[in-house]
Amino acid sequence: MNEYMIIIRFITSFNEEFVNLLPNQRIQINRLMEKGIITSYSLSADRGTLWVTLLATSLEAVEKTLRMMPLFKFMRYDIIELMFHNSPVYAQMHFSMN
């Protein structure tokens, strides 16, 4: 698997259709995160840009994943294959009864 960074810019203002699709977008993102496909998902404060990192076998697989998103028709994006993406691992503390 390769890791990719996708920089997404929304091409519309927040019209009614866009706003109505937001809950389904969030559901789809959560599903992809649970499956380990999306590894990070960040939204700019002005809500105009998303940064997504995801795992895929090819650029075509990245495109296929993006097309599954409810907000796809409102997106313009760049896909960048990453050499690596470091992020801290947050592990739960394990307590010993010893």
Side-chain angles (χ1 to χ4, degrees):
M1 287 287 219
N2 300 319
E3 192 156 20
Y4 296 86
M5 167 71 72
I6 301 91
I7 302 168
I8 299 169
R9 291 170 193 83
F10 293 112
I11 59 170
T12 186
S13 58
F14 293 95
N15 62 31
E16 186 176 348
E17 180 184 10
F18 184 93
V19 171
N20 288 338
L21 290 171
L22 288 173
N24 290 333
Q25 175 77 10
R26 194 67 229 168
I27 289 168
Q28 181 65 5
I29 295 302
N30 288 340
R31 283 184 189 143
L32 292 169
M33 290 184 94
E34 288 170 6
K35 290 180 178 181
I37 295 169
I38 290 181
T39 57
S40 69
Y41 187 80
S42 302
L43 178 64
S44 63
D46 69 3
R47 298 182 177 135
T49 305
L50 282 173
W51 295 273
V52 179
T53 56
L54 63 82
L55 298 173
T57 56
S58 66
L59 278 173
E60 293 79 18
V62 174
E63 294 264 353
K64 183 178 178 182
T65 299
L66 291 174
R67 283 191 296 274
M68 293 169 37
M69 294 185 183
L71 293 177
F72 179 76
K73 74 178 188 176
F74 299 106
M75 298 176 177
R76 292 291 178 262
Y77 54 88
D78 295 306
I79 302 170
I80 303 156
E81 185 174 0
L82 301 175
M83 180 62 68
F84 60 86
H85 175 71
N86 289 339
S87 59
V89 176
Y90 298 101
Q92 292 181 343
M93 293 179 59
H94 298 280
F95 294 99
S96 174
M97 298 302 278
N98 295 335

